[in-house]
Amino acid sequence: MTLVKTALFLLILAILGAGVFIWSGTYNPGADSPHWKITYALMQTTRERSVERHASGIALPTNLDDPDVILKGAGQYAAMCTSCHLAPGMRDTELRPGLYPKPPNLSKGSVEPREAFWVIKHGLKMSAMPAWGMSHDDPTIWSMVAFLRKLPAMTPAQYKEMVAKAPPDDDMESGGDGSDGHAHGDHSHVPE
């Protein structure tokens, strides 16, 4: 019984200590102040395992190698992703260095399709990764995944050419000026 009382006392003490820490305001939430190593490791592991678990039951579509699907994904990626995740030959953007944790450079590594779909659709809390599923349908998100599978093997010239050929967005509301919601053909997100 003494062991139970001691454990309960320590639990209450820990909760009170956490409450005092939170209420004190001493924690620095600024994106320019990194987490403690243990905090970062715990958050990273939690995120990776959670995404893996949530994505495990997603069925892959059969059209991920369809050139039209990949082309649509190229336009989506150029319009919405390069500011954070870059493109072949692209250096850091004005936005990217200020993000913490720093988003992965998706032009330099492969993605697991189910996990990429889940992350694109649902976003990631406290990471600046938006939940694109709130404004994009599943086929559009899968087109982005299809493109991401090809991205690491692309040269800057191949990327630029593909983005220039990308179709206009049909899943976004018009901007009111006759244009679609994104700009693909203007190369504003294409490295020189």
Side-chain angles (χ1 to χ4, degrees), residues 149-173:
R149 294 173 65 219
K150 305 296 182 190
L151 182 63
M154 288 183 178
T155 66
Q158 290 168 325
Y159 174 81
K160 185 175 182 176
E161 180 182 343
M162 184 173 280
V163 169
K165 293 178 183 176
D169 295 335
D170 56 3
D171 64 326
M172 299 296 288
E173 293 181 23

Side-chain angles (χ1 to χ4, degrees), residues 9-24:
F9 174 76
L10 291 174
L11 178 63
I12 291 170
L13 193 61
I15 291 170
L16 288 173
V20 168
F21 175 74
I22 291 167
W23 190 255
S24 73

Side-chain angles (χ1 to χ4, degrees), residues 21-102:
F21 175 74
I22 291 167
W23 190 255
S24 73
T26 57
Y27 176 77
N28 183 351
D32 59 351
S33 175
H35 292 297
W36 298 322
K37 287 183 181 185
I38 186 71
T39 304
Y40 187 81
L42 287 170
M43 290 174 65
Q44 185 87 348
T45 301
T46 300
R47 178 182 54 86
E48 289 172 3
R49 294 291 299 133
S50 181
V51 168
E52 183 180 315
R53 180 183 163 274
H54 283 87
S56 66
I58 296 174
L60 290 176
T62 57
N63 65 348
L64 290 182
D65 290 317
D66 181 327
D68 291 334
V69 172
I70 295 167
L71 194 60
K72 179 178 180 177
Q76 296 290 325
Y77 185 85
M80 300 179 309
C81 305
T82 58
S83 292
C84 296
H85 296 290
L86 305 177
M90 192 176 186
R91 294 179 300 276
D92 264 352
T93 62
E94 186 177 9
L95 174 67
R96 195 167 189 272
L99 295 175
Y100 185 79
K102 186 171 278 197

